[in-house]
Amino acid sequence: MSGEHNRFEKKSLRKVHGPKADWQALADSCVAFATAVGGTIAVGIEDDAELPPDDQKIPGDLVDTIRRRIRELTVNVNVEAEVRKTNSGGEFIEVHVPRSPGVPSTTSGRYYLREGNRNRPIIGDEVLRLATDRATFSWELQTALAVSRSDADATKLISFVKAIRASDRVKASVKEKSDQELLDHYLLAQGDALTNLGILCVGRREHRAGLGTAPVVQFLKYDEREARLN
């Protein structure tokens, strides 16, 4: 673990379990990450600690409770949570928050943005600018899940590459590209990471499950004479 920054935050287990639970604080953080570039919240690690206590165990139903409460307390925010265990046996929960394609907020109408290691309220004209900026968001090109291109499903990748090279609608210069160059050419990868589009096309099942939001898919249909149909 490392210190808190623009994509990582730590929260005590007491924030989501027991008499001092503060679900609104967790919801505010999820909104802030979803508004910015996404991030991870480690629930069960104190602010001044690097790891959870060695004897800390996560209640069996807490992960599902976190998912449910965040859905109840936020708008346009999707999260995935999982229990993680350290080498010394201590358990904590990783809450993964992808960047939202919409305008995230709490159900009480509050907006936040993650800046450095803090969640800053968004007020006044900033809310209007946020809504305007969201119109330029390209969901399919995001890499918030940080899935390496080397983790692509080998079978799906082979099928994709064969289909491209066999198509009579693809230029010869494109067919000459290597497998990895084809991923870049069709925006299925950026740098070392698969994009959301890449996860849909050549990712593994567990990667697709982490996308959170579903895209709208459009396609062109042709008849046996290669004429485009409505």
Side-chain angles (χ1 to χ4, degrees), residues 56-207:
Q56 179 170 279
K57 302 299 178 185
I58 300 300
D61 61 346
L62 188 53
V63 168
D64 288 337
T65 301
I66 286 176
R67 296 191 188 107
R68 175 176 57 81
R69 292 295 286 142
I70 295 304
R71 285 197 301 267
E72 294 172 347
L73 294 171
T74 64
V75 178
N76 288 327
V77 175
N78 289 284
V79 303
E80 188 53 57
E82 60 181 336
V83 176
R84 299 291 299 275
K85 181 181 290 187
T86 64
N87 293 334
S88 55
E91 295 181 348
F92 66 101
I93 300 174
E94 275 191 351
V95 180
H96 302 285
V97 188
R99 187 180 191 269
S100 173
V103 179
S105 73
T106 65
T107 51
S108 59
R110 296 182 180 180
Y111 303 83
Y112 295 91
L113 176 67
R114 185 71 177 180
E115 290 185 342
N117 62 354
R118 70 187 185 99
N119 303 322
R120 181 176 67 82
I122 299 176
I123 58 176
D125 291 343
E126 288 184 308
V127 177
L128 180 60
R129 281 201 301 273
L130 174 64
T132 302
D133 291 343
R134 236 47 182 188
T136 64
F137 177 80
S138 181
W139 178 90
E140 62 270 22
L141 301 185
Q142 300 307 304
T143 58
L145 289 183
V147 175
S148 172
R149 65 169 72 207
S150 62
D151 289 332
D153 186 305
T155 301
K156 288 185 172 61
L157 179 57
I158 291 172
S159 297
F160 168 76
V161 170
K162 288 178 65 175
I164 291 298
R165 294 189 174 129
S167 174
D168 56 5
R169 294 191 178 91
V170 177
K171 295 179 180 179
S173 58
V174 174
K175 295 181 181 182
E176 293 173 355
K177 295 180 182 292
S178 69
D179 295 358
Q180 294 301 316
E181 287 174 336
L182 285 175
L183 291 182
D184 292 321
H185 179 79
Y186 287 103
L187 303 177
L188 304 187
Q190 288 186 355
D192 183 56
L194 292 178
T195 61
N196 285 351
L197 181 62
I199 291 173
L200 282 177
C201 294
V202 298
R204 301 179 187 274
R205 178 175 178 272
E206 59 268 27
H207 300 150

